[in-house]
Amino acid sequence: MKKNEVERVPTGIPLFDKYTEGGFLKNSVNLITGGAGTGKTTFVMQFLWNGVEKYGDNCLFLSFEDDLEIIRRDSKGYGFDFDKYEKQKKFHLKSIIPYEQSLSLERQKGELRRELIDYIKKNKVKRIVIDPITLYGMAFKTSYDVRRNLFDLVRMLK
């Protein structure tokens, strides 16, 4: 690697990797945004699929919703059949409901952070997708709290 080059993580999506000069920056957190039906989830599922299929990375799709069967079905519809990789413990599809009424926000945030860190370390996860992040933000009362807690989550993931 040349002195001014930055290490990249290829997505395996040819045009994206071309225009980003090799993919995402290593150890970065990236927000994929757009309106309904623009392909955000398809993009991130392809990122995970290529990660496990082409690059041998352990991958995690973390949903803040609880219906993982819809994610499995939709992924298979695009040709991303993660079943064999789930059995090999290379792909992980996990649901965490971040906030329940019975716990304080600070306690839940700490529990979520610990659970996520432990899971990532135990399973040697290299690529993580969180979808939808909006449900995480909806648990907070003010825009300041949303930003502060998203910042904490990003810092933890890095």
Side-chain angles (χ1 to χ4, degrees), residues 29-33 40-41 44-45 47-48 59-65 71 92-96 98 112-113 116-117 120 125 127-137 149-150 152-158:
V29 175
N30 303 278
L31 176 66
I32 309 301
T33 185
K40 300 177 300 292
T41 301
V44 297
M45 293 310 282
F47 167 72
L48 294 177
C59 300
L60 167 64
F61 186 97
L62 175 63
S63 178
F64 287 142
E65 297 178 317
I71 296 165
H92 307 269
L93 184 57
K94 185 166 178 52
S95 173
I96 295 177
L112 171 64
R113 186 175 295 134
L116 192 52
I117 288 171
I120 290 166
V125 172
R127 294 178 186 230
I128 303 167
V129 166
I130 300 174
D131 186 33
I133 197 67
T134 52
L135 293 181
Y136 181 77
N149 284 284
L150 284 174
D152 287 348
L153 179 62
V154 166
R155 186 174 39 185
M156 182 225 18
L157 290 171
K158 284 183 176 182

Side-chain angles (χ1 to χ4, degrees), residues 9-24 32 39-51 54-55 80 127:
V9 176
T11 65
I13 303 167
L15 284 176
F16 183 85
D17 288 348
K18 176 184 174 185
Y19 290 119
T20 58
E21 300 178 357
F24 293 119
I32 309 301
K40 300 177 300 292
T41 301
T42 304
F43 179 87
V44 297
M45 293 310 282
Q46 189 171 2
F47 167 72
L48 294 177
W49 177 256
N50 290 335
K54 290 182 177 181
Y55 306 110
F80 311 137
R127 294 178 186 230

Side-chain angles (χ1 to χ4, degrees), residues 18-132:
K18 176 184 174 185
Y19 290 119
T20 58
E21 300 178 357
F24 293 119
L25 295 175
K26 187 171 183 175
N27 296 321
S28 65
V29 175
N30 303 278
L31 176 66
I32 309 301
T33 185
T38 58
K40 300 177 300 292
T41 301
T42 304
F43 179 87
V44 297
M45 293 310 282
Q46 189 171 2
F47 167 72
L48 294 177
W49 177 256
N50 290 335
V52 71
E53 178 84 0
K54 290 182 177 181
Y55 306 110
D57 291 341
N58 288 1
C59 300
L60 167 64
F61 186 97
L62 175 63
S63 178
F64 287 142
E65 297 178 317
D66 59 358
D67 197 346
L68 299 180
E69 289 311 310
I70 291 174
I71 296 165
R72 280 190 180 87
R73 181 200 68 208
D74 291 350
S75 295
K76 286 178 182 177
Y78 288 106
F80 311 137
D81 188 351
F82 290 103
D83 290 347
K84 80 175 182 180
Y85 294 114
E86 282 189 90
K87 290 175 184 152
Q88 296 171 5
K89 306 269 190 240
K90 299 283 295 168
F91 178 78
H92 307 269
L93 184 57
K94 185 166 178 52
S95 173
I96 295 177
I97 307 304
Y99 297 102
E100 297 172 352
Q101 297 295 330
S102 60
L103 297 175
S104 74
L105 289 178
E106 287 304 311
R107 182 173 166 207
Q108 290 173 49
K109 186 175 73 168
E111 288 177 12
L112 171 64
R113 186 175 295 134
R114 275 189 303 281
E115 183 179 348
L116 192 52
I117 288 171
D118 290 347
Y119 196 87
I120 290 166
K121 286 180 181 177
K122 176 184 169 197
N123 294 288
K124 299 177 181 161
V125 172
K126 298 250 179 152
R127 294 178 186 230
I128 303 167
V129 166
I130 300 174
D131 186 33

